Amino acid sequence: MRARFGGRVPMLANMVKGGTSPVLPYDALHGIGCRLMIFPVAVARAVVHMGRQMLAALKTAGTTETYRPRMVDLGGINDAVGASDLIADGQRFRETVVDFKITAGDPRP
């Protein structure tokens, strides 16, 4: 394996299919001493593929319902991007500031 990298152990293995480094599995990279591996576009490539599938299902059925088992709900999206924690923090803040009222254009009573 070392020969593939010119006899040196890379500090960082940047695993991009079609890039200049050979794409090797984790065990092979770890075996030659590499301790940091990144796969910077792997998720984007998967998302594009799945997006095309979902859009094809939408075009065929006129709805995303047939694709729904492979999708997350709004809570799943919030969890993935950290919004669930922000929403919970906002709720705790709102509960602790019960006497504070916004008067400029606030539709709440």
Side-chain angles (χ1 to χ4, degrees):
M1 291 288 176
R2 288 182 193 272
R4 295 179 88 170
F5 290 100
R8 297 178 313 245
V9 175
M11 303 244 345
L12 169 70
N14 185 15
M15 299 289 98
V16 178
K17 188 170 176 77
T20 57
S21 300
V23 177
L24 300 173
Y26 170 84
D27 289 341
L29 290 166
H30 194 265
I32 62 170
C34 190
R35 297 295 181 259
L36 182 59
M37 304 97 180
I38 62 172
F39 300 81
V41 294
V43 171
R45 292 173 61 147
V47 167
V48 168
H49 176 69
M50 293 176 70
R52 286 179 177 160
Q53 290 179 341
M54 188 279 304
L55 290 172
L58 174 60
K59 183 177 182 180
T60 300
T63 179
T64 58
E65 285 303 309
T66 59
Y67 202 81
R68 186 172 235 181
R70 291 171 274 181
M71 298 166 68
V72 297
D73 61 9
L74 182 58
I77 293 171
N78 286 343
D79 290 344
V81 300
S84 295
D85 294 336
L86 293 173
I87 292 166
D89 288 346
Q91 185 60 35
R92 281 193 300 277
F93 177 76
R94 184 176 183 175
E95 290 168 1
T96 59
V97 189
V98 293
D99 292 332
F100 182 76
K101 294 210 187 280
I102 300 171
T103 57
D106 186 357
R108 294 174 292 170

